[in-house]
Amino acid sequence: MSNTMLAAVFKGEGRLELEQRPVPNIQRDDDVILQVGGVGICGSDLHIIYRPQGHPAKPGVIMGHEFAGRVVAVGKGVEGLNPGDHVAVDPNPGCGKCKMCRRGLPNACIPHFTNPEAPGPGWGLTPGQWWDGGIAEFVRMPAHHLYPIAKHVPMWQVAMFEPIGVAVNGIGKIGFRVGESAVVLGAGPIGLLFVALFKSGGASKIVVSEPTLRRREAALTCGADVVVDPSKEDIEQRVLAETNGEGADVAVEVVVGCFPRRLIWSASMAAC
Ligand SMILES: [Zn+2]
Ligand SMILES: [Zn+2]
């Protein structure tokens, strides 16, 4: 195996470069070295490399936090993972010990979100942003970030587990039930995952608001019943028309920035 690998490195505002980097090796007892098998490009990755930069990250890090891989080496303290295993990666696991983790809110884990490198409070220690991530041939990850996955599942699908988790968690929180109608505001990748999950979960009608034609078409492919271009049509009136004047049962906002809350409330009797 070569000692170097190709990696996509954030070099500072507006700059992403492919570089040869040393292949990582075991440094701590709980380390695992993965050969990356699939990696996604998150919206936050784009915001990091935008000019002006829209999301903080440490210059010099290898980007990528939505990835999957095959275990090639484990530290001597790692249990339950062996070379050859396929794993999904949780980029932001809670510590399991702090007050917020013990309240069942690992997404607000105090040590994870007390990042001394970040420009202000509230930024997590996400790989690909503050330490080397997965847009590379190999990556070093602590074992508690990793979940073994059956080997027949394609790696590109396993790399989607993190963004799918966003939609699964959201649908769980709003208490969606079979037969309910749903509004999805925004058909970017996360919005499309919501559409697919509402569809597979038995939604009676799915209305999607999205200004971009290509994304409206993708929403139909994912299972939307009605797509609306909000620059040309009043989404509120259309939702009422599609739901016998009652409004949808649930609505999710999946857009950058903020829709007016009035729109969500009016689009849904059970506002979320
Ligand atoms: Zn992400
Ligand atoms: Zn914690």
Side-chain angles (χ1 to χ4, degrees):
M1 193 169 86
S2 164
N3 291 332
T4 61
M5 63 177 187
L6 200 58
V9 179
F10 172 59
K11 300 291 283 186
E13 190 180 64
R15 288 176 58 210
L16 175 71
E17 293 182 10
L18 285 177
E19 281 186 356
Q20 286 292 329
R21 284 290 186 91
V23 171
N25 49 34
I26 300 289
Q27 293 180 20
R28 297 174 8 165
D29 288 353
D30 66 339
D31 277 347
V32 176
I33 306 298
L34 302 178
Q35 182 176 28
V36 178
V39 61
I41 297 172
C42 181
S44 60
D45 293 327
L46 300 178
H47 295 153
I48 288 168
I49 59 172
Y50 279 164
R51 194 187 290 264
Q53 192 174 336
H55 186 295
K58 185 176 175 179
V61 295
I62 298 171
M63 295 188 68
H65 60 269
E66 298 174 359
F67 58 97
R70 184 175 64 86
V71 174
V72 294
V74 298
K76 64 177 189 285
V78 174
E79 294 177 359
L81 287 173
N82 295 294
D85 288 349
H86 291 193
V87 292
V89 179
D90 179 352
N92 293 312
C95 70
K97 299 172 188 165
C98 74
K99 184 171 76 177
M100 300 310 281
C101 283
R102 290 175 67 82
R103 276 188 195 166
L105 298 168
N107 56 318
C109 172
I110 292 168
H112 185 84
F113 282 93
T114 309
N115 180 352
E117 310 250 24
W123 295 101
L125 283 162
T126 308
Q129 297 176 358
W130 305 103
W131 44 291
D132 286 343
I135 308 184
E137 293 174 70
F138 296 90
V139 62
R140 179 175 68 93
M141 293 294 295
H144 71 285
H145 288 247
L146 308 178
Y147 293 85
I149 296 294
K151 290 181 182 170
H152 69 270
V153 184
M155 282 285 187
W156 69 267
Q157 289 185 1
V158 183
M160 291 292 291
F161 280 19
E162 193 263 3
I164 289 172
V166 173
V168 169
N169 188 41
I171 282 182
K173 282 191 167 165
I174 60 177
F176 167 75
R177 289 175 294 187
V178 175
E180 291 187 327
S181 56
V183 172
V184 178
L185 301 173
I190 300 292
L192 293 174
L193 290 170
F194 268 105
V195 172
L197 287 169
F198 279 133
K199 185 70 176 178
S200 61
S204 56
K205 184 169 277 187
I206 304 167
V207 181
V208 175
S209 171
E210 166 59 51
T212 306
L213 173 62
R214 194 161 60 92
R215 289 182 166 186
R216 287 198 302 277
E217 291 171 348
L220 289 169
T221 305
C222 288
D225 299 292
V226 178
V227 291
V228 175
D229 178 351
S231 66
K232 295 201 170 71
E233 188 176 352
D234 186 327
I235 174 68
E236 187 175 341
Q237 292 305 316
R238 184 64 184 270
V239 168
L240 290 170
E242 295 287 344
T243 55
N244 298 322
E246 294 179 347
D249 297 310
V250 294
V252 292
E253 174 201 321
V254 203
V255 291
V256 176
C258 255
F259 261 81
R261 282 198 172 270
R262 185 187 62 78
L263 177 57
I264 299 170
W265 281 328
S266 63
S268 168
M269 290 178 68
C272 57

